[in-house]
């Protein structure tokens, strides 16, 4: 595990994007293509904004993402399909492949088949305020070997979605989502975790300070063979003494 501390969210996004682009370009040079797994949400704004500006041959990159709310239309501002189309897919132009989670159980088999065709070279995995990765809220299922499952969202997760402005009230947040599993996330060749903002400080502290446990799902990433966490001064403040 490597921790990189950045001055602010914009600096974090620039550094994480540059690092991610290097991974993609190395994979393209070696294999002729690359595969990326993207997170969404407010904490990923700066990283994705910088990533689309990187010098990468996107026509050789295949994109996957982590999750989508059940029964939420793509036209809703909280839809992660909408988020990725507007912030990433339309910005980089034609990709080698795009595999979007549509928020239905029926879509899971096809997604599973595609994601397991070859390893994911780099996964950008955010950490929620409750320590979740994707929508694997605590206590997360560390045992399933499925690629995607339907999960129930807990109240802390729902409050985060409302607090980020995606929904007007907690009652408007869907109760379920289709989420990539912890197991499948851990199959990425490299994991890059971008965790800015003061509201993530406790989650960063819990992730770094606690032993691996499913009540802080992000702790499992510390066991990954190649895990880099990008944090800013605000999100690091409870975990690391910064001069």
């Amino acid at each position: 595990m490597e921790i990189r501390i950045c001055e602010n969210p914009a600096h974090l996004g620039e550094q994480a994007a540059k690092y991610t682009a290097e991974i993609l370009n190395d994979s393209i040079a070696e294999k002729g293509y690359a595969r990326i797994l993207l997170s969404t949400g407010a904490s990923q704004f700066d990283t994705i904004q910088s990533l689309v500006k990187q010098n990468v041959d996107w026509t050789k990159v295949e994109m996957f993402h982590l999750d989508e709310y059940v029964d939420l239309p793509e036209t809703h501002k909280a839809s992660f399909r909408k988020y990725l189309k507007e912030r990433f897919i339309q910005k980089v132009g034609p990709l080698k492949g795009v595999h979007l989670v549509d928020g239905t159980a029926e879509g899971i088999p096809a997604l599973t088949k595609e994601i397991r065709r070859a390893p994911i070279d780099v996964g950008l995995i955010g950490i929620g305020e409750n320590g979740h990765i994707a929508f694997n809220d605590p206590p997360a299922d560390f045992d399933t070997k499925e690629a995607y499952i339907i999960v129930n969202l807990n109240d802390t997760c729902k409050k985060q979605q409302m607090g980020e402005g995606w929904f007007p009230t907690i009652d408007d947040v869907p109760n379920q989502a289709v989420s990539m599993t912890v197991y499948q996330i851990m199959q990425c060749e490299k994991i890059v975790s971008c965790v800015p903002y003061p509201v993530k400080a406790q989650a960063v502290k819990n992730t770094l300070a606690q032993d691996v446990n499913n009540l802080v799902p992000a702790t499992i990433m510390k066991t990954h063979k190649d895990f880099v966490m990008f944090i800013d001064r605000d999100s690091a403040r409870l975990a690391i003494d910064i001069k």
Side-chain angles (χ1 to χ4, degrees):
M1 179 179 70
E2 179 183 351
I3 300 170
R4 301 190 185 184
I5 303 173
C6 303
E7 282 298 312
N8 52 52
H11 181 232
L12 185 157
E14 292 168 0
Q15 294 301 305
K18 181 180 177 181
Y19 179 67
T20 301
E22 290 172 358
I23 296 170
L24 295 173
N25 286 329
D26 286 347
S27 296
I28 292 169
E30 178 184 348
K31 302 180 299 184
Y33 69 92
R35 306 179 106 211
I36 189 171
L37 171 63
L38 294 178
S39 295
T40 51
S43 65
Q44 306 304 303
F45 284 164
D46 290 289
T47 299
I48 291 178
Q49 184 178 15
S50 293
L51 184 59
V52 300
K53 300 175 184 176
Q54 298 298 310
N55 184 21
V56 175
D57 184 351
W58 295 107
T59 66
K60 296 179 179 177
V61 177
E62 198 169 3
M63 188 216 84
F64 295 81
H65 72 113
L66 288 175
D67 42 33
E68 180 62 284
Y69 298 102
V70 169
D71 293 332
L72 191 74
E74 189 180 316
T75 53
H76 194 288
K77 70 176 183 178
S79 166
F80 297 133
R81 289 165 288 169
K82 177 180 173 67
Y83 176 115
L84 287 167
K85 286 181 179 180
E86 294 178 350
R87 296 177 181 275
F88 182 76
I89 298 168
Q90 294 170 6
K91 301 285 188 181
V92 299
L95 288 147
K96 182 177 185 292
V98 173
H99 306 282
L100 295 174
V101 183
D102 67 4
T104 69
E106 292 76 17
I108 291 176
L111 278 172
T112 300
K113 181 178 179 180
E114 291 298 332
I115 202 165
R116 290 183 170 171
R117 285 185 187 277
I120 297 295
D121 296 296
V122 57
L124 272 61
I125 312 299
I127 297 174
E129 292 174 28
N130 64 0
H132 73 203
I133 50 177
F135 269 135
N136 297 289
D137 287 336
D141 187 342
F142 280 5
D143 297 322
T144 181
K145 297 299 189 291
E146 298 295 324
Y148 288 88
I149 56 176
I150 294 179
V151 297
N152 297 319
L153 308 187
N154 69 22
D155 286 344
T156 305
C157 175
K158 289 182 177 182
K159 288 176 182 177
Q160 177 182 332
Q161 310 313 313
M162 182 187 70
E164 290 182 1
W166 303 112
F167 300 94
T169 74
I170 193 170
D171 292 332
D172 293 304
V173 183
N175 292 317
Q176 293 185 311
V178 173
S179 175
M180 183 176 287
T181 63
V182 173
Y183 170 81
Q184 190 63 46
I185 290 170
M186 293 294 286
Q187 304 313 299
C188 295
E189 291 295 309
K190 299 177 184 290
I191 291 179
V192 175
S193 189
C194 302
V195 198
Y197 307 148
V199 293
K200 297 295 181 77
Q202 189 64 52
V204 169
K205 178 182 178 181
N206 291 343
T207 299
L208 296 179
Q210 294 192 26
D211 293 335
V212 175
N213 72 94
N214 70 348
L215 296 179
V216 185
T219 55
I220 199 169
M221 294 194 293
K222 296 189 294 184
T223 70
H224 192 272
K225 63 183 180 180
D226 195 331
F227 170 49
V228 180
M229 178 188 282
F230 288 83
I231 51 181
D232 67 1
R233 295 179 70 89
D234 285 332
S235 62
R237 63 186 174 82
L238 299 180
I240 299 172
D241 184 16
I242 302 174
K243 302 300 183 183

